Amino acid sequence: MALVSQTGPSHSIRTEIVRYKAGKMVVVSMTYHMKASKMKELCGGFLSSSCNSSKKEQILCINDSGFRCNRGHRIIVAASPPAEDAVIARGPLTKEDLVDYLASGCKPKEKWRIGTEHEKFGFEFGTLRPITYEQIEELLNGIAERFDWEKIKEGDYIIGLKQGKQSISLEPGGQFELSGAPLETLHQTCAEVNSHLYQVKAVAEEMGIGFLGIGFQPKWALKDIPIMPKGRYHIMRNYMPKVGTLGLDMMFRTCTVQVNLDFISEADMIRKFRAGLALQPIATALFANSPFMEGKPNGYLSMRSHIWTDTDNNRTGMLPFVFDDSFGFEQYVDYALDVPMYFVYRKKKYIDCTGMTFRDFMAGKLPCIPGELPTLNDWENHLTTIFPEVRLKRYLEMRGADGGPWRRLCALPAFWVGILYDEVSLQKVLDMTVDWTAEERQMLRNKVPKSGLKTPFRDGLLRHVAEDVVQWARDGLERRGFKESGFLNEV
């Protein structure tokens, strides 16, 4: 049940989730406070309108606007980003709840959208040095005031902007990221990219600042990179050297482009997950764009991709279990439950919980907050700290590409949409990769950062496979009927 009350210029929404289990009623409630002008925006959120799992169990999903997707007898609500008003559970979360959270992303094909996230490095024109947080603060304020963005703060620091379903955020070393809105066509995606770059350039050039689209910081050493004032990054910076040799480089000196795509059911998610993982080295090779380090060639075509091989093997990689016959939402939850945590967000602060697992958290065994149990907010936050080549949340994230110039920012979503949103092309990929072994997939993952499309594979080169895949992507875009295939010309 969603109860909406208005007091002055803001609304309060209180959602109660009622679940019947073993004859008892368990109530979970959450409260949101927002301006009236944002109410309509929330109601159109990137949530599921249908849950069509291949499993027999049925769930009933209701989001904050009262929108329903019928899978049966229980009710779940998607978690929000870190917020002071976290979900308060009057009964402990179960593994079933975590599975249901992922399943709530299922949506019919007409509701599928394209989400694109891209990062870039800022630098001073005069010195070519990285821009400082103070310059970023001035830039964010300028964009907010000139182009009507809402400011996002952590304590006294501005750390991002929000406008509709788009947001601008800061990566650990000041990399400037746009998380785009969920859009219907690639034309809209490219228009969003162009609008964002225009706005950033309009303010930045007046400050003597430029931006570079590339996968790895080409000039400056790690010690030269500024540190952004975000609590979660302080925790990660202390933890990374304990679990790998290149984690700090990942945080402070890499930029990526990422594409987020939907699925209609658990079975559809599995097919897209497998195709995405198998093809991720091809995407890495096609979009490799990080050959320099500290002013010199570094020996790699994609230094960014290589860095992920020694960042933290507990939360990265090619996830071979995705190809097991038993794989589904539940198996991904089992994996995520055992990935070490970074933090818990409470009272507007990040609390260091490194080394413990979400499974520990569900048992009330986190030393950092002894006896406290997790909420769906905590689960959603934890999922964002897992970094495989393809990541599952309530949608699938393709994560293998380097940052690049604007034409490539449009080409990467075109590549993945042409494959994963077209049934014919998707099936061709699955047929081609069905007999690829886990060892072959891992070999491609390891060698592509250095040798790219020239990587030997079976009786030829990876380039020969990539040529077929790009053609299948182009064919898939043609079948969509939106005249989007031109976005692939860059590759």
Side-chain angles (χ1 to χ4, degrees):
M1 180 191 314
L3 305 177
V4 181
S5 63
Q6 182 174 357
T7 55
S10 66
H11 289 286
S12 293
I13 299 180
R14 181 170 180 271
T15 302
E16 291 193 345
I17 313 147
V18 182
R19 179 162 55 85
Y20 292 92
K21 186 175 182 180
K24 297 181 180 179
M25 183 177 71
V26 180
V27 180
V28 180
S29 64
M30 67 176 78
T31 304
Y32 295 94
H33 302 282
M34 67 192 70
K35 294 179 181 179
S37 62
K38 296 296 179 183
M39 182 66 65
K40 183 177 180 180
E41 174 187 317
L42 174 67
C43 296
F46 193 31
L47 289 171
S48 66
S49 61
S50 173
C51 295
N52 179 22
S53 173
S54 62
K55 295 189 176 181
K56 294 180 180 179
E57 180 175 328
Q58 301 254 316
I59 305 169
L60 177 66
C61 313
I62 299 182
N63 68 23
D64 302 285
S65 60
F67 194 77
R68 301 162 65 105
C69 56
N70 193 354
R71 277 181 81 216
H73 304 296
R74 285 176 298 112
I75 300 174
I76 61 172
V77 173
S80 68
E84 187 172 11
D85 294 324
V87 179
I88 302 169
R90 296 177 189 170
L93 284 180
T94 66
K95 177 181 166 182
E96 190 178 37
D97 296 325
L98 308 184
V99 173
D100 294 345
Y101 172 82
L102 295 179
S104 71
C106 302
K107 52 172 64 69
K109 189 170 183 178
E110 62 268 21
K111 297 289 186 179
W112 290 359
R113 297 294 182 264
I114 308 162
T116 308
E117 304 178 26
H118 47 89
E119 304 163 356
K120 49 204 167 292
F121 294 106
F123 63 94
E124 297 176 342
F125 283 136
T127 65
L128 302 183
R129 293 193 64 84
I131 55 177
T132 65
Y133 171 73
E134 288 71 27
Q135 290 169 305
I136 291 172
E137 181 180 41
E138 182 180 347
L139 176 62
L140 289 171
N141 281 320
I143 294 172
E145 292 159 9
R146 189 174 305 185
F147 298 104
D148 193 29
W149 289 71
E150 179 183 348
K151 298 177 185 179
I152 302 171
K153 288 196 168 186
E154 184 173 314
D156 295 329
Y157 297 102
I158 181 171
I159 59 167
L161 303 174
K162 182 173 177 60
Q163 185 182 80
K165 297 174 186 176
Q166 301 179 80
S167 63
I168 295 172
S169 59
L170 302 180
E171 292 299 297
Q175 303 97 313
F176 218 68
E177 178 180 15
L178 176 73
S179 296
L183 302 171
E184 294 186 50
T185 73
L186 292 165
H187 299 287
Q188 294 172 345
T189 295
C190 212
E192 177 187 68
V193 169
N194 289 338
S195 174
H196 169 71
L197 296 180
Y198 166 79
Q199 292 181 14
V200 171
K201 184 177 180 181
V203 178
E205 283 191 342
E206 296 173 0
M207 300 171 57
I209 290 173
F211 283 90
L212 178 64
I214 196 169
F216 186 81
Q217 162 54 254
K219 187 170 178 62
W220 300 105
L222 192 59
K223 63 181 176 59
D224 300 308
I225 308 300
I227 300 172
M228 296 299 103
K230 296 178 70 170
R232 64 187 292 167
Y233 295 155
H234 175 76
I235 293 170
M236 292 173 64
R237 181 163 56 97
N238 291 334
Y239 181 69
M240 284 295 181
K242 301 175 183 178
V243 291
T245 65
L246 299 175
L248 295 181
D249 286 306
M250 180 279 292
M251 290 181 65
F252 293 100
R253 295 206 283 178
T254 65
C255 278
T256 188
V257 186
Q258 176 178 302
V259 181
N260 305 327
L261 298 171
D262 292 311
F263 42 82
I264 196 170
S265 66
E266 183 174 50
D268 187 44
M269 178 278 293
I270 294 169
R271 297 171 75 236
K272 289 174 177 172
F273 208 145
R274 290 173 177 169
L277 277 174
L279 296 186
Q280 214 59 225
I282 291 177
T284 299
L286 288 171
F287 293 89
N289 186 37
S290 46
F292 304 109
M293 175 187 285
E294 297 175 24
K296 300 176 183 179
N298 57 34
Y300 290 87
L301 298 175
S302 177
M303 184 65 183
R304 181 209 61 83
S305 182
H306 169 67
I307 280 170
W308 277 108
T309 65
D310 193 11
T311 289
D312 181 349
N313 289 335
N314 286 321
R315 67 183 75 243
T316 62
M318 293 290 284
L319 305 187
F321 67 86
V322 171
F323 296 87
D324 293 345
D325 291 341
S326 61
F327 178 68
F329 291 127
E330 183 176 358
Q331 287 69 34
Y332 193 86
V333 167
D334 283 331
Y335 159 70
L337 282 172
D338 292 321
V339 172
M341 297 178 65
Y342 283 150
F343 59 80
V344 172
Y345 189 79
R346 291 291 185 275
K347 298 181 180 178
K348 297 185 178 180
K349 290 186 178 181
Y350 290 93
I351 301 169
D352 188 338
C353 295
T354 51
M356 303 301 290
T357 68
F358 208 89
R359 200 180 296 277
D360 297 325
F361 196 4
M362 292 187 71
K365 296 180 179 179
L366 290 190
C368 54
I369 46 172
E372 189 161 343
L373 297 174
T375 68
L376 278 177
N377 295 71
D378 296 318
W379 178 238
E380 184 175 57
N381 294 337
H382 178 58
L383 291 177
T384 69
T385 68
I386 302 173
F387 308 122
E389 292 295 288
V390 176
R391 179 164 65 186
L392 175 62
K393 295 197 284 193
R394 285 177 294 153
Y395 43 87
L396 285 167
E397 302 177 346
M398 305 294 120
R399 297 173 44 81
D402 285 2
W406 76 267
R407 287 186 184 275
R408 291 193 179 191
L409 302 183
C410 303
L412 183 71
F415 174 79
W416 287 117
V417 167
I419 293 293
L420 299 184
Y421 274 6
D422 178 76
E423 183 60 33
V424 175
S425 295
L426 174 58
Q427 190 58 52
K428 285 183 177 182
V429 168
L430 293 170
D431 291 342
M432 177 185 70
T433 60
V434 67
D435 65 342
W436 291 12
T437 65
E439 292 75 20
E440 285 178 316
R441 293 191 299 267
Q442 189 60 48
M443 178 276 293
L444 291 175
R445 172 68 188 89
N446 293 340
K447 291 188 175 182
V448 157
K450 184 177 283 283
S451 52
L453 293 172
K454 295 181 180 179
T455 302
F457 184 66
R458 296 195 171 182
D459 296 330
L461 300 176
L462 189 62
R463 177 186 183 92
H464 303 139
V465 182
E467 287 172 347
D468 287 339
V469 172
V470 170
Q471 184 58 52
W472 294 341
R474 189 179 299 276
D475 293 343
L477 292 176
E478 291 287 352
R479 283 188 287 268
R480 269 170 58 85
F482 295 119
K483 298 184 178 180
E484 299 166 314
S485 60
F487 292 115
L488 276 178
N489 291 344
E490 187 69 10
V491 296

